[in-house]
Amino acid sequence: MQALPSLGVPADQVLAEIAALRAGDLPTHGGRLFAYVYDPGESGVEELALAAHAMGAPVNGLDPTAFPSLLAMENAVVGAASALLGGGPDGVGSVVGNLTSGGTESLILAVKAARDAHPSTSPTLVTPSTAHPAFAKAASYLRVRPVVVPVSATTLRPSPMDIAAAVTDDTVLVACSAPSYAHGVVDPVPQIAAAALARGVRCHVDACFGGWTLPYLRRLGVPVPSFDFSVPGVTSVSVDLHKYGYCPKGVSVLLHRDESLRAPQYFAFADWPGYTMVNPTIASTRSGGPIAAAYATLRYLGDAGYLRLAAAAVSAVRSLASAISTVDGLRLMVEPESTVVVFTSSDPALDLFVLADELAARGWHTQPQLAYADLPRTIHLTVTAAVEPQVPGFRSDLAAAVAAARASGPVSVDAGLLEFAAALTPDQLTTETVAALASGLGFSLDASASSGSPLPERRADINTLVEAASIPVREALFGAFLSLLQRPTY
Ligand SMILES: Cc1ncc(COP(=O)(O)O)c(C=O)c1O
């Protein structure tokens, strides 16, 4: 594939090429992909958002005084998020916020603001082990030491006492999730925030994943614990609009309880001969596309639309959970509290990774999660509104997939290879070793191949092998593998 031909290519042809490439992707619509995408399953929503995206895209969020349309839309969207999450006229009136490019950027900025407000030579960030990896990334980028508190293997939540014990004079931020991505459970926010408040430390609630849905679930009668600015001690909250806000990708909201807490988030620079730069976010030039698309989506769906979509998602969650819990050999990790269904196998003859392959073979793309600490391997389902009409099909295919997984039995990976994986150290992972390992496992590393996943269709052996490796090796392996894929084509 060549991106820069000597002569330009007609528009129709270019679009046809992209369509051909997109045909090799997982299905972004239709409720059969339980991760990565958030599909409202209603026509009209995405069409409008993309039209608005096109209107906003030429505009630069770098300077909202030059493009007041973006300032107006951003402030309106932040206001909506604030009002939903305990701020605004009926809540904590001082809440302020910004739109960022996504959950990771919101979390990095929350950590940056906290770090810069709390000078320490060895700053720490306290999180439960279920906190999203974006916190580890923030800690790594910002040179803050992560202090990770384990969660209970039964509740999948940390003990607030353990969190409190992890806070020291060097702690700049305590963070927790509402809900966590891996299991969809809401951490004990009031107790965690109280522990932070008692030490004068900021507390961030990562509601990136489900923060837009939880208030609607509560209105639908689901018992949702307190998690937002109504909780004393919560100093910032993040919520992603490109998840359950059902907006096109590239938009999240970071809210602070008041302006003084937000102040260290800004970066301003005047010490050069060019324009004075001031940015609330990591990016300087920001496309207006995602902002306009988010504004349009919120206006179009309205409160009633989000309530309707939350009702569809929760109905799908309940039906999926009941379908799974009636299968002999499968066990829900936790009764669903939000829009995640996560389950494990209680029968050694039923290999969860083989089951994931069998489901994929039937067009259901789930997310296998590797065993970690004292938690078993699981299958994660992010459930959106678009899943609801698909549940009957999933139920019958699940039965067939389970039967097939039982019939083929657990995946057999050579014991020597498993031992090799377990004994590996990251420094042994040269590019050559990883390339050999990847092609041995059936990966396609040909950078010029233009469509389809580079991974083989059946992945149970790969998951088993990676699971056998240590955490640092898992990380190094994935990094090296991605680096092998990310090679220029000419
Ligand atoms: C709870 C939580 N926080 C943060 C993130 C990071 O969001 P993003 O992928 O938009 O950077 C995610 C993504 O799934 C998440 O689930």
Side-chain angles (χ1 to χ4, degrees), residues 296-356:
T297 308
L298 266 60
R299 295 270 312 151
Y300 180 73
L301 282 170
D303 189 57
Y306 283 110
L307 191 63
R308 182 174 71 241
L309 294 176
V314 83
S315 141
V317 162
R318 287 182 181 142
S319 312
L320 288 171
S322 107
I324 289 158
S325 50
T326 52
V327 173
D328 204 22
L330 294 182
R331 173 175 70 81
L332 292 174
M333 280 294 284
V334 63
E335 275 307 315
E337 289 177 23
S338 57
T339 50
V340 170
V341 177
V342 60
F343 60 97
T344 189
S345 165
S346 51
D347 177 356
L350 181 55
D351 183 327
L352 222 47
F353 294 154
V354 175
L355 176 60

Side-chain angles (χ1 to χ4, degrees), residues 38 101-105 107 132 134-135 177-182 206-210 238 240 242-243 252:
Y38 298 80
S101 63
T104 300
E105 186 179 0
L107 298 184
H132 191 274
F135 284 112
S177 315
S180 62
Y181 177 80
D206 176 8
C208 284
F209 177 74
S238 50
D240 290 357
H242 62 200
K243 295 193 171 80
S252 165

Side-chain angles (χ1 to χ4, degrees), residues 33-35 37-38 181 209 244 339-341 380-384 387:
L33 172 55
F34 295 96
V37 297
Y38 298 80
Y181 177 80
F209 177 74
Y244 285 96
T339 50
V340 170
V341 177
H380 165 110
L381 308 179
T382 286
V383 181
T384 60
V387 173

Side-chain angles (χ1 to χ4, degrees), residues 172-176 189 192-194 196-197 201-205 229 233-237:
V172 298
L173 184 68
V174 171
C176 54
V189 176
I192 291 175
L197 186 62
V201 174
R202 293 184 184 215
C203 174
H204 181 82
V205 176
F229 286 110
V234 169
T235 51
S236 52
V237 179

Side-chain angles (χ1 to χ4, degrees), residues 183-456:
H183 308 118
V185 303
V186 180
D187 285 334
V189 176
Q191 294 90 325
I192 291 175
L197 186 62
R199 296 293 297 261
V201 174
R202 293 184 184 215
C203 174
H204 181 82
V205 176
D206 176 8
C208 284
F209 177 74
W212 201 267
T213 326
L214 290 179
Y216 290 102
L217 295 188
R218 188 181 281 142
R219 276 163 60 181
L220 291 164
V222 176
V224 172
S226 303
F227 70 96
D228 59 17
F229 286 110
S230 61
V231 176
V234 169
T235 51
S236 52
V237 179
S238 50
V239 59
D240 290 357
L241 294 172
H242 62 200
K243 295 193 171 80
Y244 285 96
Y246 294 108
C247 298
K249 303 234 179 294
V251 63
S252 165
V253 190
L254 173 59
L255 301 168
H256 293 273
R257 182 175 281 270
D258 64 42
E259 202 120 35
S260 70
L261 290 161
R262 176 172 66 171
Q265 183 188 315
Y266 284 92
F267 180 82
F269 194 82
D271 194 6
W272 75 310
Y275 60 90
T276 298
M277 192 180 84
V278 54
N279 298 148
T281 55
I282 295 177
S284 195
T285 284
R286 281 198 289 161
S287 166
I291 298 173
Y295 174 77
T297 308
L298 266 60
R299 295 270 312 151
Y300 180 73
L301 282 170
D303 189 57
Y306 283 110
L307 191 63
R308 182 174 71 241
L309 294 176
V314 83
S315 141
V317 162
R318 287 182 181 142
S319 312
L320 288 171
S322 107
I324 289 158
S325 50
T326 52
V327 173
D328 204 22
L330 294 182
R331 173 175 70 81
L332 292 174
M333 280 294 284
V334 63
E335 275 307 315
E337 289 177 23
S338 57
T339 50
V340 170
V341 177
V342 60
F343 60 97
T344 189
S345 165
S346 51
D347 177 356
L350 181 55
D351 183 327
L352 222 47
F353 294 154
V354 175
L355 176 60
D357 284 347
E358 291 296 342
L359 284 167
R362 290 164 177 79
W364 302 99
H365 306 281
T366 63
Q367 194 164 54
Q369 300 182 136
L370 307 182
Y372 170 81
D374 54 355
L375 303 178
R377 66 174 69 156
T378 53
I379 287 184
H380 165 110
L381 308 179
T382 286
V383 181
T384 60
V387 173
E388 195 194 22
Q390 307 298 339
V391 174
F394 181 86
R395 188 187 284 271
S396 59
D397 280 345
L398 176 67
V402 166
R406 281 190 185 285
S408 64
V411 71
S412 81
V413 178
D414 180 69
L417 201 55
L418 280 175
E419 262 172 48
F420 169 74
L424 266 176
T425 55
D427 52 298
Q428 291 170 307
L429 292 173
T430 60
T431 306
E432 293 73 33
T433 323
V434 176
L437 200 64
S439 40
L441 288 166
F443 290 52
S444 112
L445 295 176
D446 178 5
S448 63
S450 56
S451 72
S453 170
L455 300 185

